Amino acid sequence: GIQVEQSPPDLILQEGANSTLRCNFSDSVNNLQWFHQNPWGQLINLFYIPSGTKQNGRLSATTVATERYSLLYISSSQTTDSGVYFCAVVGSSNTGKLIFGQGTTLQVKP
Amino acid sequence: EAQVTQNPRYLITVTGKKLTVTCSQNMNHEYMSWYRQDPGLGLRQIYYSMNVEVTDKGDVPEGYKVSRKEKRNFPLILESPSPNQTSLYFCASSLRPPRSDRAHEQFFGPGTRLTVL
């Protein structure tokens, strides 16, 4: 099945810093989503981005489907950005199952 | 507000006591799914439903049942919970079922933390 790898596994930033999170996947995908899991465990949708570039405030994402990777950019980070960031993909399987990467744990210090 | 809701959000129970975790969406989504999240194992799909009265097993269905009598609701039933079902559970939905060439954005509920003693 599809493998999803995220890097880095852990990231510590000072408030105001910028960061780039990477997601590599091993096969073609029909869906790619980025989520933020906050300290209360909730999974917040950030982007639905099977290809191309999107921006939402301080966050933006780019997926290059032909090269099988996606990037999540966080600019001017805030303490509320802390948590785990997941990349998840749906392959050609018709179960609709999202295959999650292991996540990047981000800690933003004041 | 468009959302997926789950109840209860937190539950502590004992082995063998039947329980139901409800999931409801107000977006007229056809596809719904249940996941469990465990440390070191990530999120794993339990069951999914392509539409009303259509359900199928995911990767870890043992010990769980589901039903889809109405489009908006997709309850997860644990007939005889055991401690290895202690986990964080998520319900998810999307507008349409996935096809071989397209899968729609999935939206997640807030999660249910279940502890089975």
Side-chain angles (χ1 to χ4, degrees):
Chain A
I2 292 180
Q3 305 296 314
V4 182
E5 294 182 358
Q6 291 185 241
S7 59
D10 301 283
L11 189 57
I12 300 175
L13 299 174
Q14 287 298 131
E15 202 166 25
N18 302 328
S19 62
T20 300
L21 282 58
R22 187 176 179 103
C23 172
N24 292 331
F25 42 96
S26 61
D27 205 345
S28 60
V29 297
N30 296 319
N31 173 15
L32 189 145
Q33 293 184 235
W34 282 97
F35 296 92
H36 174 214
Q37 188 164 36
N38 63 24
W40 295 270
Q42 294 177 313
L43 279 169
I44 310 299
N45 285 46
L46 297 177
F47 294 102
Y48 168 72
I49 188 165
S51 63
T53 298
K54 291 186 178 180
Q55 179 156 8
N56 184 3
R58 297 181 294 104
L59 302 181
S60 64
T62 296
T63 297
V64 183
T66 52
E67 297 187 21
R68 298 180 184 169
Y69 73 88
S70 183
L71 302 174
L72 177 69
Y73 306 96
I74 305 174
S75 65
S76 304
S77 58
Q78 301 175 358
T79 55
T80 52
D81 294 332
S82 296
V84 184
Y85 289 81
F86 288 105
C87 164
V89 304
V90 175
S92 58
S93 162
N94 288 330
T95 69
K97 175 179 63 178
L98 276 166
I99 301 168
F100 285 77
Q102 289 303 105
T104 293
T105 300
L106 173 64
Q107 182 182 359
V108 181
K109 294 187 172 182
Chain B
E1 179 189 355
Q3 60 183 347
V4 181
T5 57
Q6 294 180 227
N7 281 293
R9 296 287 314 280
Y10 304 90
L11 179 61
I12 300 174
T13 189
V14 295
T15 299
K17 186 176 181 182
K18 180 180 179 180
L19 66 92
T20 299
V21 183
T22 65
C23 172
S24 182
Q25 49 86 12
N26 61 2
M27 298 172 280
N28 202 35
H29 283 180
E30 292 184 5
Y31 177 84
M32 298 186 74
S33 180
W34 277 101
Y35 293 84
R36 59 178 289 175
Q37 185 180 25
D38 302 289
L41 297 175
L43 283 96
R44 295 175 291 170
Q45 190 183 52
I46 304 171
Y47 268 94
Y48 62 96
S49 170
M50 295 294 190
N51 213 325
V52 176
E53 302 291 1
V54 182
T55 64
D56 213 338
K57 297 176 180 178
D59 293 327
V60 288
E62 293 79 20
Y64 305 95
K65 288 174 60 177
V66 293
S67 68
R68 188 90 184 274
K69 294 184 171 59
E70 310 164 275
K71 197 176 211 179
R72 64 182 294 131
N73 296 323
F74 190 43
L76 180 69
I77 304 156
L78 286 71
E79 294 269 2
S80 182
S82 62
N84 65 12
Q85 293 179 296
T86 293
S87 188
L88 177 58
Y89 290 87
F90 289 100
C91 179
S93 72
S94 69
L95 183 62
R96 296 281 183 267
R99 300 189 326 228
S100 60
D101 62 341
R102 183 188 170 94
H104 295 265
E105 182 176 10
Q106 294 192 31
F107 297 87
F108 280 72
T112 295
R113 288 193 183 274
L114 173 65
T115 301
V116 183
L117 302 175

